[in-house]
Amino acid sequence: MASVELKGLGKRYGDAVALADVNLHIQHGQLVCLLGPSGCGKTTTLRLIAGFIEPTAGEIVVGGKVLSSTTRTVAPEGRNMSMIFQSYALWPHMTVAENVAYGLKIRKMNRETIAEKLKTILSTARLEALADRYPAELSGGQQQRVSLARAMVVEPETLLLDEPLSNLDANLREEMRFEIRRLHDRYRYTTVYVTHDQAEAMTTADLIAVMNGGRIEQVGTPQEIYKRPRSAFVARFIGGSNILTGKALDARRVAVGDSVLVTDGRALRTGETVPISIRQHEIALLAAQPEQSENVLRAVVARCVFLGSARDYTLTLEDKSELRLTAPADREIDPGQHVWLRLPADRCQALSGGNEA
Ligand code: ATP
């Protein structure tokens, strides 16, 4: 196993910038998810780490050795890495056991060692009963487990996964997220996992790197990213936050229309424009005006949708901007009604991205 460092990594195709100045330190044994929307540069980063493409700026250092730079790139077969693609790429004419053992055979290991390693990985990946089947006789989830077992049995320094669950149905995808995390806890290979699915990243990752437009916007544990998003992009992408904009009155208080919101997060500079994020379920819907005026906004109900376990409200604020909130299912307020919203101060996260110094 080894640490993976991306230092000022960039990739251009002619004038098009696929990746710009990516810096990331993945410690030995960590699982890091690259999470972001389509086209943000996730696969490019993974292909650079694997050595399939060469950087146009920066370098990749694995276990202290420079594997990619603008002057020298070690070929994929010279890196001790395993990569898993969206399509499982199993050999159709080989059984499960033969598929998994293939990498050990080409490394010319002796028969006893191969048998021993095969037995252990088939047991860990819960594939023992399927060892003699061919890929065509397996479900999608079982094929994915074979693909994981095949990648892990060769004991790579680094494991690279590119949207490994995207071909599975929703139930199986959920089950396989736990499976990947379980296998990671067992083997602790340094792992880079590419996904656009927030739940997948939250379940599997030690660290999440949220990417946008060829850059990393924020790196942190799933909790940090969820609770302390630094930019409006991260706040919207992780858990669908509302973004309000106001002017700072002092280090903590922001004027939003005629109201004042006390915020959490960074210290503000008086007069700056501040984006503030708050999640839909963190806003309380009040039918009557409360006595306390701070952190209360006036709004009109624009839409109310019954979702079974909750109601999804769309509200129009006094400045005509819209805000969404999730309320208990038994709170039904008709469109057109005036309401008051309480936005707790410790949930109003002041973000960067305004015109702060
Ligand atoms: P997705 O989730 O859709 O796979 P991604 O985040 O993995 O997206 P990349 O495949 O890394 O995105 O692509 C990043 C950017 O680089 C995109 O704008 C893409 O069009 C561009 N790009 C990727 N490969 C090439 C190429 N060979 N030539 C030109 N542009 C490319």
Side-chain angles (χ1 to χ4, degrees), residues 190-217:
T190 307
T191 303
V192 187
Y193 185 131
V194 161
T195 182
H196 62 268
D197 183 322
Q198 181 202 326
E200 215 167 291
M202 302 285 267
T203 316
T204 54
D206 295 310
L207 280 184
I208 297 177
V210 183
M211 295 188 71
N212 180 26
R215 292 175 188 277
I216 293 179
E217 287 246 343

Side-chain angles (χ1 to χ4, degrees), residues 155-176:
E155 296 173 17
E157 253 181 358
T158 317
L159 189 60
L160 306 174
L161 299 108
D162 190 4
E163 301 266 7
L165 307 184
S166 59
N167 285 336
L168 304 178
D169 69 42
N171 287 338
L172 202 50
R173 217 158 50 216
E174 203 181 338
E175 196 182 303
M176 287 302 294

Side-chain angles (χ1 to χ4, degrees), residues 11-14 16-19 34-47 53 86 162-163 194-196 211 213-214:
K11 180 70 184 171
R12 282 175 167 275
Y13 293 99
V17 178
L19 215 62
L34 304 181
L35 175 68
S38 183
C40 70
K42 307 179 294 290
T43 302
T44 302
T45 308
L46 207 66
R47 288 168 60 79
I53 51 175
Q86 286 180 24
D162 190 4
E163 301 266 7
V194 161
T195 182
H196 62 268
M211 295 188 71

